[in-house]
Amino acid sequence: METSKGLKIFIVEDELIIAESLKLILKSLGYLCVGTTNSILMAESVIQGGEVDLIILDINLNGKNEGIELGKLCHKKKQSFLYITSYSDRDTVIAAKETKPGGYLNKPFTPQDIMIGIEMATINHSEEDSQLLERAVSHLNLSDREMEVLKCFNSRLLTIEIANELSISTNTVKYHLKNLYSKFDVVSRADFLEKLQTMTKEA
């Protein structure tokens, strides 16, 4: 199975050995581990920032189920995430399920487990985002190509990455982005992303 190489993944895990093992597995699978932490405050900052594609989240942090609270924040911020934990009791599973994670993996895990979990989590989140975005902008009557570019842009892809994804030139991407900026009445990338986030929340 071909993986979504280059995905930016952040690990929230309080056991150093497991965190380091995950980093090595991610690297071997072609993913980009952008950091690890056992700090709740640092994890909250990363979730709020919205700059990563996926968060691998341990449920039991520092002896408490604080991972569940972080999962709630991920869901609120529409941040793709999956749980990794040694807990599989009914109460924990039900609490985790309510936060709507992209996956729930039990320790110990294999590289294959991690790869499948990541791919399923990102696919599920991407499809949900795509549907929300389509509903949010349906009144603008965008062309098919504009919608494709918009979805890529909303996924935080850069101009060259959008061009590669859609097999079009960077100039074509810039042309469509210019039109989209005008239709959405925005002047910067940050403003555009913020407006899209607001619109999808209200959809």
Side-chain angles (χ1 to χ4, degrees):
M1 177 178 178
E2 183 179 353
T3 62
S4 303
K5 293 183 179 180
L7 282 177
K8 298 186 289 293
I9 300 175
F10 191 85
I11 299 168
V12 182
E13 169 64 62
D14 62 353
E15 294 186 51
L16 181 59
I17 293 177
I18 293 178
E20 289 300 316
S21 175
L22 275 171
K23 284 174 63 177
L24 291 174
I25 289 173
L26 293 179
K27 183 178 180 180
S28 71
L29 293 172
Y31 302 117
L32 178 62
C33 178
V34 295
T36 67
T37 189
N38 62 357
S39 164
I40 303 300
L41 291 178
M42 175 63 76
E44 289 175 342
S45 177
V46 172
I47 296 168
Q48 296 281 4
E51 296 296 324
V52 300
D53 297 307
L54 177 75
I55 293 179
I56 296 179
L57 183 58
D58 185 19
I59 287 181
N60 187 273
L61 295 168
N62 305 314
K64 302 177 183 178
N65 279 3
E66 292 179 326
I68 297 292
E69 295 304 313
L70 291 174
K72 292 178 182 178
L73 181 60
C74 284
H75 178 63
K76 179 180 178 181
K77 293 295 181 179
K78 301 187 184 303
Q79 169 66 63
S80 182
F81 74 104
L82 64 85
Y83 288 120
I84 185 165
T85 181
S86 57
Y87 291 82
S88 56
D89 59 280
R90 185 173 184 275
D91 288 344
T92 300
V93 171
I94 289 175
K97 181 181 177 182
E98 290 177 351
T99 67
K100 296 180 172 57
Y104 190 103
L105 301 180
N106 280 115
K107 302 173 185 176
F109 48 79
T110 67
Q112 183 78 354
D113 294 332
I114 297 300
M115 184 271 289
I116 292 174
I118 290 172
E119 293 300 315
M120 294 307 297
T122 52
I123 287 172
N124 291 339
H125 193 263
S126 176
E127 289 179 350
E128 181 183 355
D129 275 357
S130 180
Q131 292 168 0
L132 285 172
L133 184 62
E134 287 180 3
R135 288 204 300 269
V137 304
S138 59
H139 63 288
L140 294 175
N141 297 317
L142 302 180
S143 69
D144 290 343
R145 181 61 84 188
E146 284 176 332
M147 194 68 225
E148 290 174 341
V149 171
L150 184 64
K151 287 179 180 179
C152 290
F153 180 85
N154 193 47
S155 296
R156 273 57 173 184
L157 296 187
L158 301 176
T159 299
I160 184 63
E161 294 173 322
I162 296 174
N164 291 336
E165 178 71 19
L166 301 179
S167 299
I168 57 179
S169 70
T170 55
N171 284 336
T172 300
V173 174
K174 290 176 182 178
Y175 168 78
H176 287 300
L177 284 175
K178 181 179 179 181
N179 289 339
L180 288 168
Y181 273 52
S182 177
K183 290 183 178 182
F184 284 83
D185 192 27
V186 292
V187 295
S188 73
R189 178 181 176 86
D191 288 343
F192 200 176
L193 288 171
E194 183 177 353
K195 187 163 190 175
L196 289 175
Q197 185 177 44
T198 299
M199 291 176 71
T200 53
K201 284 181 179 178
E202 296 173 349

